[in-house]
Amino acid sequence: MGGHWIGLTFCCWWQLCLAQTLRPRIANARFATNNPTLTTIALEKPFCIFDALMSTGASYEVYLYVMADSAYHSRLPVTDNSSKPLNTTFQQTNGGLSGAYRAATFNVPNCTSPPKLTDAADATKAPTVLTQYLIRVGEDDSCLYDPEFLEACNPPLSQDTAYRFKYILVDRTAGVMKDETVWSHPIKTKKLKQSSTIDTWPGRRSGTMIVITSILSVLTFILVLGFLAALLQAVLTTEEMPTETRYASQITQHAVPRIQEAAEL
């Protein structure tokens, strides 16, 4: 019996350590093809990370915190001294440049039935699968201009900027943090390219563009060649028509005298 409790304790301790070493990750490219963008970054939700620490009778939710990599500190707190999550906003932290802000709140993902990659190919199931699987940071800009908005604000990110992310598990009843992940590795948004820097040299075109251009060139050449052949045939036909008329008229003129000579004889 004592060995059973020791094994259970070790298992819980191992799950706790595992949760502490896991970190938010960028979403799979098969689910989010254009990621990151100029102002958004799609992350995987924390599947099967907090399950071992969730008691049966409690209700939990997940908070997502965001900060710029320039403000990163491994021990930067996201709770106060009583383990209550901080409600810092995007505006208070200057968009994450001076600290972490709470960007989103959502239910703990169901580890027993994670989303299937095959369902993402179905147009009717894709929105549900994406909502279950990922959280897109920077997709909401309405909260910035609503003075009465009191929930977590998830406004657009800055372009060409690296960010870090953290998930924490919160007990809804007590309002305190029960577990957390470590901060993610830096993930950088894309940079807007200037029109003057776009390379238009054909050698830098993709293989598909080269194939399409080649096919169009061949079709154009065949079309021009057919037009020239039709024009040449029309010219030759026009030149041959007078020759045939003269030949027929000569035959008619010589035939009349011969018939008269035969009648006189």
Side-chain angles (χ1 to χ4, degrees):
M1 187 67 181
H4 173 74
W5 282 107
I6 293 175
L8 182 61
T9 303
F10 176 78
C11 181
C12 293
W13 175 82
W14 173 255
Q15 291 290 342
L16 178 62
C17 292
L18 182 63
Q20 290 292 335
T21 56
L22 292 177
R23 64 186 73 229
R25 299 185 303 176
I26 192 169
N28 191 311
R30 296 184 179 181
F31 285 94
T33 54
N34 185 23
N35 185 41
T37 65
L38 293 173
T39 58
T40 64
I41 296 176
L43 303 174
E44 293 181 0
K45 285 187 175 180
F47 281 92
C48 306
I49 295 179
F50 302 123
D51 290 42
L53 301 175
M54 295 171 60
S55 60
T56 306
S59 176
Y60 296 94
E61 58 186 354
V62 178
Y63 287 4
L64 170 63
Y65 284 88
V66 182
M67 72 171 172
D69 183 54
S70 58
Y72 169 70
H73 189 278
S74 60
R75 296 186 179 183
L76 183 70
V78 293
T79 61
D80 57 17
N81 295 332
S82 59
S83 296
K84 291 186 177 181
L86 298 177
N87 290 323
T88 49
T89 64
F90 181 88
Q91 296 90 334
Q92 291 172 344
T93 60
N94 194 19
L97 295 176
S98 61
Y101 66 92
R102 184 159 64 97
T105 302
F106 53 89
N107 295 328
V108 180
N110 189 355
C111 183
T112 59
S113 59
K116 298 179 181 179
L117 180 61
T118 54
D119 292 341
D122 189 345
T124 59
K125 298 180 180 179
T128 303
V129 171
L130 294 179
T131 301
Q132 293 177 349
Y133 170 71
L134 58 83
I135 175 72
R136 187 175 293 277
V137 185
E139 65 177 356
D140 183 19
D141 58 353
S142 60
C143 58
L144 289 177
Y145 310 104
D146 186 358
E148 299 181 357
F149 190 86
L150 301 177
E151 302 296 329
C153 186
N154 187 18
L157 304 174
S158 300
Q159 65 165 321
D160 194 28
T161 304
Y163 290 89
R164 290 179 182 261
F165 309 93
K166 175 193 281 285
Y167 291 127
I168 70 170
L169 182 68
V170 179
D171 186 338
R172 288 178 176 173
T173 304
V176 295
M177 183 186 72
K178 291 297 184 180
D179 194 17
E180 63 180 346
T181 66
V182 297
W183 285 99
S184 69
H185 295 300
I187 304 176
K188 194 174 186 179
T189 55
K190 290 185 178 179
K191 181 180 180 180
L192 181 63
K193 289 185 177 181
Q194 301 295 331
S195 58
S196 59
T197 62
I198 298 177
D199 188 3
T200 58
W201 178 249
R204 298 295 180 88
R205 299 297 184 185
S206 63
T208 304
M209 291 291 292
I210 294 175
V211 171
I212 294 175
T213 304
S214 301
I215 293 175
L216 292 177
S217 300
V218 172
L219 292 177
T220 304
F221 175 77
I222 293 175
L223 182 61
V224 172
L225 187 62
F227 175 77
L228 293 177
L231 183 62
L232 180 61
Q233 184 179 3
V235 172
L236 293 177
T237 303
T238 305
E239 292 177 354
E240 291 176 359
M241 289 180 62
T243 304
E244 293 177 357
T245 304
R246 290 195 302 269
Y247 181 75
S249 63
Q250 290 175 1
I251 294 175
T252 304
Q253 292 174 0
H254 288 288
V256 175
R258 289 180 182 178
I259 294 174
Q260 292 178 356
E261 291 176 358
E264 292 175 356
L265 292 175

